[in-house]
């Protein structure tokens, strides 16, 4: 983004999501294949064993969407939109959890877990969509190589330095000074002299 190559921002977002998908897929595979070991390791029986099996078999997939939310949050923060990150996090933790878990509670403990996973998935998916739209909006602003370059603005100090301070010389050096035509010809003449 600092170089103004906004299409690379899109590529970075896409590549981050692909890395997250691969990581979650490996973790889900390990959980699914190792669920029997986990159940035995925790000496789980009955409903506890069923919940571990449910999570390892199906609910671990909801982390594709939770991971998407994390990637989108990073892009929002880095692209100067931290309120989007805050909004999606807050939304997932409240609107994406409370009503869905409450609805699921009518169907037992498994329903609570399923409801929470569904709500989290909705907010994760929405965050990824918004992140890609934001990146696409930035990419449309990118200057094309065949277009005329935009004029480069003169550097401006964040705060002027008072001329009476100890840094007056630095201020004079950092502040562009108009050059008189006579000074230019005198400089050119002295440079031409042997």
């Amino acid at each position: 983004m600092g170089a103004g190559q906004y299409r690379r921002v899109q590529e970075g977002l896409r590549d981050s999501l692909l890395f997250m998908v691969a990581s979650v897929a490996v973790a889900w595979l390990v959980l699914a294949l190792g669920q029997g070991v986990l159940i035995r390791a925790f000496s789980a029986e009955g409903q506890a064993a069923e919940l571990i099996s449910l999570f390892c078999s199906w609910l671990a997939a909801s982390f594709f969407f939770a991971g998407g939310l994390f990637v989108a949050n990073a892009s929002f923060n880095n692209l100067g939109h931290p309120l989007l990150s805050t909004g999606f996090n807050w939304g997932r933790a409240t609107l994406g959890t409370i009503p869905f878990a409450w609805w699921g509670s009518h169907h037992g403990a498994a329903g609570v877990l399923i409801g929470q996973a569904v709500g989290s998935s909705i907010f994760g998916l929405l965050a990824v969509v918004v992140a890609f739209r934001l990146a696409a909006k930035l990419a449309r602003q990118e200057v094309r190589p065949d277009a005329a370059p935009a004029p480069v603005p003169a550097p401006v100090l964040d705060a002027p330095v008072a001329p009476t301070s100890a840094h007056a010389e630095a201020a004079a050096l950092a502040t562009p000074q108009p050059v008189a035509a006579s000074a230019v010809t005198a400089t050119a003449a002295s440079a031409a002299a042997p």
Side-chain angles (χ1 to χ4, degrees):
M1 180 176 160
Q5 296 182 7
Y6 300 118
R7 294 196 190 284
R8 297 208 47 200
V9 171
Q10 285 181 303
E11 292 172 10
L13 179 59
R14 185 199 66 221
D15 292 347
S16 296
L17 285 169
L18 289 174
F19 179 78
M20 178 275 302
V21 165
S23 300
V24 171
V26 168
W28 185 18
L29 180 64
V30 169
L31 285 171
L33 295 176
Q35 62 184 297
V37 173
L38 288 172
I39 291 170
R40 285 190 300 279
F42 287 101
S43 301
E45 297 176 354
Q47 187 178 22
E50 290 173 12
L51 292 176
I52 291 172
S53 180
L54 174 67
F55 180 82
C56 292
S57 298
W58 302 108
L59 297 182
S62 70
F63 282 88
F64 286 117
F65 300 99
L69 178 62
F70 297 147
V71 170
N73 284 340
S75 71
F76 296 147
N77 290 332
N78 286 304
L79 296 176
H81 295 277
L83 291 179
L84 285 173
S85 177
T86 302
F88 278 109
N89 277 331
W90 181 87
R92 179 185 62 93
T94 56
L95 302 174
T97 300
I98 297 169
F100 291 95
W102 175 81
W103 169 81
S105 69
H106 298 347
H107 304 284
V112 172
L113 292 176
I114 293 169
Q116 185 274 334
V118 168
S120 177
S121 298
I122 291 170
F123 275 86
L125 184 61
L126 288 173
V128 168
V129 168
V130 171
F132 271 109
R133 286 190 175 180
L134 179 60
K137 180 181 174 185
L138 288 173
R140 286 191 297 272
Q141 296 174 4
E142 185 173 343
V143 177
R144 290 168 189 72
D146 58 337
V152 177
V156 178
L157 293 175
D158 289 340
V161 180
T164 58
S165 73
H167 304 289
E169 288 182 32
L173 292 174
T175 306
Q177 302 293 326
V179 178
S182 60
V184 172
T185 56
T187 304
S190 65

